[in-house]
Amino acid sequence: MAKEKIILGIDPGTNVMGYGVLVIKDQVMSCPSMGAVQIKEEDYGLKLKVIFEKTLALVDDFKPDEFAIEAPFFGKNVQSMLKLGRAQGVAMAAALIREIPIAEYSPRKVKQSITGSGAASKEQVAAMIKSMLKLETLPKYLDATDGLAVAICHHFQSSNKLGSGSK
């Protein structure tokens, strides 16, 4: 009998952090929870504290076996990339403090694994996830489906590795 595997996927952000919890049991994927955390703090240090605490709460609530996070997008604005990198870092620290193995995926890799196109829009990713998991509705914020997409991407990537066994 196959053990279930739980993957927590995070789409980091300094204003909105998306997350998705993916459960795989007998090769069937399901999503018990996904959402978007609004980070309303003005002070940047407090934003990072909120990201850490919310991520740690998700880890403690869902007890994932693995943690997947989207890497910062390399855009033209270096300052926003640095801020996003810090947000990603504190989210990763929350998983690491609970000894959850982490994996990082580029936005292009996530989109490619979900839709087949690395240039897909948030809406295309969300529509594919809705279809894959047979979801009734989509969340208000597509950051939530982005977080779930990272978890699904991780599942697909780890399933394709030769010799990878289940934990």
Side-chain angles (χ1 to χ4, degrees), residues 15-99:
N15 294 320
V16 180
M17 177 182 81
Y19 71 89
V21 179
L22 183 69
V23 175
I24 300 100
K25 187 168 183 157
D26 298 322
Q27 297 303 310
V28 176
M29 295 187 294
S30 63
C31 173
S33 181
M34 74 172 130
V37 176
Q38 301 290 313
I39 303 157
K40 301 200 183 303
E41 300 293 339
E42 291 296 318
D43 179 77
Y44 185 69
L46 292 177
K47 282 181 184 276
L48 294 177
K49 181 178 184 270
V50 168
I51 293 165
F52 180 84
E53 290 172 345
K54 295 289 188 183
T55 305
L56 191 58
L58 289 168
V59 167
D60 289 345
D61 288 349
F62 293 102
K63 309 220 178 324
D65 300 296
E66 297 169 9
F67 179 92
I69 192 162
E70 191 170 272
F73 171 73
F74 295 100
K76 288 182 171 56
N77 188 337
V78 174
Q79 209 52 39
S80 64
M81 192 178 80
L82 280 170
K83 286 182 176 177
L84 200 53
R86 290 183 192 123
Q88 180 200 34
V90 296
M92 291 167 82
L96 290 168
I97 207 165
R98 294 292 191 249
E99 300 183 356

